[in-house]
Amino acid sequence: MKLHIAVLPGDGIGPEVTAQAVKVLKAIAMEFGHIFTFEYGLIGGAAIAKTGHSLPEKTLELCKNADAILFGAIGDPKYKFDVESKIRPEQGLLKLRKELDLFANIRPVIAYEDLLEKSSLKKKFIKDTDILIYRETTSGIYFGEKTLNEDEQIASDICTYNRFEIERITHLAFKAAQSRKKRKLTLVDKANVLESSKLWRKIVLEIAPEYPNVDLDFLYIDNAAKQLVMNPRQFDVILTENMFGDILSEEAGVIVGSIGLLASASLGPKYAMFDPIHGSYSKATDKGIANPIASILSGAMMLDHFGLLDEAALIRKAIDKSLKLHITTPDLNTRYDNISTSKVGDFIEDFINNPEETNLNFRNIHLGQSTII
Ligand code: IPM
Ligand code: MN
């Protein structure tokens, strides 16, 4: 298969983790005889620094002409205290989602058996967690009208949703639930207070009879936030609006042991983007400590999207192996120091090229005589 991939590394650790995903995708192309080409574009703080825009026109064009987008991370601490700034890195991502109509952000949360000890939650509660979060990402409070009165004493952000926006992601989430073992869909909202949430609930209830084999459940966001860490196994597919989804998916990082493990797909009618859910983690930039797995897994989600299931499965197998052998960055590793972002990428690349040899290479790594890393 030929795939032209727009790569938007972005800010902070974005470039270094994305480089590992590209490395792994190249290994897959080689192994399976595909032709993947990569074209790079600026976004976020990096783009503001060079062009003055968080999403330059050229980047948008690049994305529109690509088969898929691989995105890194966005955000720059420079803006942390500068709340007045009219231009912010994050706008680049929001604009991209809006312009490309990437309304469904899908975030899988799967607890790895080998990492259960890494979570701050008790092993017995998180074991076998397998959740798929469907977060709406082109509307809601992120995109509603924003106001600040003249003397800057009153501000507002309006959360608006229309029927069409709710319906389209609801169908996707029900379909996903239908194809899973548990066949359960939980709508997370605040329908006891918010008008927009009431509309979500009403529409989801209307659609539910079309999917009779899916168990539908509702939870208020405050309760859902608690349940997610108290008893994550109760969840299967979670459907929710933009901001609740942002918060819940970040929280879900606690279950898997590191936010550096969570990948996502952002899908719309025409375009598809794949990105780790973690932020730019600027403090770690260029230190070689950023976990590349979320980015590499985003690459696997991209392959799944194009029906390259064996290829995606091989990436996941390589990741499993790296975790089993503790070839992981310091956020997860307690056994070895010095396993850097690129070393993890090298190991996964090597496994893809040559799965049989990997144990041997591991011994070499251990002895400090590595030929591959
Ligand atoms: C995410 C991020 C973004 C969001 C930010 C960077 C705008 O936190 O993708 O989860 O809030 O959607
Ligand atoms: Mn977030």
Side-chain angles (χ1 to χ4, degrees):
M1 182 180 277
K2 269 191 184 170
L3 285 180
H4 186 55
I5 300 162
V7 185
L8 312 183
D11 302 325
I13 59 165
E16 51 202 288
V17 295
T18 309
Q20 308 315 310
V22 170
K23 189 191 278 179
V24 168
L25 287 172
K26 283 183 177 162
I28 288 287
M30 183 106 102
E31 199 56 29
F32 290 82
H34 300 303
I35 299 172
F36 297 163
T37 48
F38 301 89
E39 198 177 339
Y40 289 76
L42 288 169
I43 194 164
I48 297 172
K50 289 216 168 92
T51 70
H53 301 281
S54 57
L55 178 66
E57 202 51 44
K58 205 170 144 199
T59 301
L60 190 57
E61 277 313 298
L62 163 69
C63 294
K64 285 184 177 168
N65 291 322
D67 296 306
I69 304 155
L70 186 66
F71 173 81
I74 216 158
D76 187 327
K78 228 170 45 197
Y79 298 86
K80 197 167 180 176
F81 300 103
D82 185 7
V83 287
E84 305 253 312
S85 176
K86 290 271 176 284
I87 300 179
R88 294 189 60 89
E90 292 80 1
Q91 288 164 344
L93 177 57
L94 300 181
K95 198 167 167 219
L96 193 62
R97 285 179 183 155
K98 194 73 180 175
E99 291 277 341
L100 302 183
D101 203 13
L102 301 170
F103 68 87
N105 185 224
I106 303 158
R107 302 183 157 182
V109 181
I110 300 166
Y112 288 93
E113 192 65 29
D114 291 303
L115 294 180
L116 296 176
E117 304 288 349
K118 307 285 175 190
S119 175
S120 40
L121 303 172
K122 287 198 182 85
K123 195 171 161 176
K124 63 177 181 189
F125 294 124
I126 56 176
K127 190 174 157 31
D128 298 324
T129 295
D130 181 353
I131 305 171
L132 206 49
I133 300 177
Y134 270 70
R135 169 190 175 198
E136 202 290 331
T137 34
T138 49
S139 191
I141 196 166
Y142 276 48
F143 293 95
E145 192 194 343
K146 294 176 185 301
T147 66
L148 177 65
N149 81 334
E150 224 164 279
D151 60 356
E152 302 193 352
Q153 300 302 305
I154 306 171
S156 71
D157 297 274
I158 300 197
C159 181
T160 307
Y161 269 105
N162 65 39
R163 171 171 283 275
F164 169 71
E165 290 163 343
I166 299 169
E167 276 178 357
R168 60 181 182 169
I169 191 163
T170 298
H171 280 291
L172 287 189
F174 265 116
K175 286 195 178 107
Q178 231 172 11
S179 70
R180 288 165 62 91
K181 249 196 283 162
K182 270 196 203 142
R183 294 195 182 150
K184 180 175 171 188
L185 179 69
T186 306
L187 174 70
V188 173
D189 62 24
K190 189 73 186 172
N192 50 345
V193 179
L194 303 177
E195 213 46 48
S196 53
S197 284
K198 287 180 197 160
L199 187 62
W200 271 86
R201 217 173 254 221
K202 180 171 173 294
I203 291 172
V204 169
L205 270 170
E206 275 172 31
I207 290 173
E210 293 179 43
Y211 303 90
N213 54 357
V214 175
D215 286 334
L216 176 64
D217 193 12
F218 300 103
L219 273 185
Y220 298 136
I221 177 65
D222 47 352
N223 188 14
K226 180 185 71 178
Q227 297 289 339
L228 188 61
V229 283
M230 217 172 73
N231 176 18
R233 266 199 307 261
Q234 70 183 285
F235 294 106
D236 185 18
V237 179
I238 292 178
L239 169 64
T240 191
E241 60 95 69
N242 203 344
M243 191 157 76
F244 298 159
D246 180 42
I247 298 166
L248 283 186
S249 54
E250 181 95 11
E251 187 190 4
V254 180
I255 302 168
V256 298
S258 168
I259 191 81
L261 294 169
L262 294 184
S264 81
S266 292
L267 306 180
K270 207 161 161 203
Y271 302 103
M273 179 165 91
F274 302 86
D275 57 313
I277 83 155
H278 59 68
S280 57
Y281 189 19
S282 299
K283 275 189 286 204
T285 309
D286 292 332
K287 291 204 175 126
I289 58 170
N291 193 332
I293 290 186
S295 186
I296 294 171
L297 270 177
S298 301
M301 289 185 85
M302 179 188 290
L303 299 177
D304 277 334
H305 177 73
F306 289 104
L308 303 177
L309 306 184
D310 290 345
E311 289 82 339
L314 183 56
I315 295 182
R316 293 196 175 96
K317 201 170 156 198
I319 291 173
D320 286 347
K321 191 76 177 181
S322 73
L323 297 176
K324 212 167 246 352
L325 298 178
H326 303 270
I327 301 177
T328 60
T329 43
D331 53 321
L332 293 173
N333 219 338
T334 45
R335 190 166 297 187
Y336 310 114
D337 41 27
N338 277 337
I339 297 191
S340 65
T341 307
S342 64
K343 279 185 185 175
V344 174
D346 288 346
F347 176 86
I348 291 168
E349 177 192 36
D350 180 63
F351 184 94
I352 288 164
N353 289 336
N354 201 353
E356 306 310 319
E357 292 292 316
T358 304
N359 273 320
L360 184 66
N361 285 329
F362 167 67
R363 274 197 293 275
N364 286 342
I365 292 164
H366 191 39
L367 297 170
Q369 300 166 344
S370 166
T371 48
I372 60 150
I373 59 173

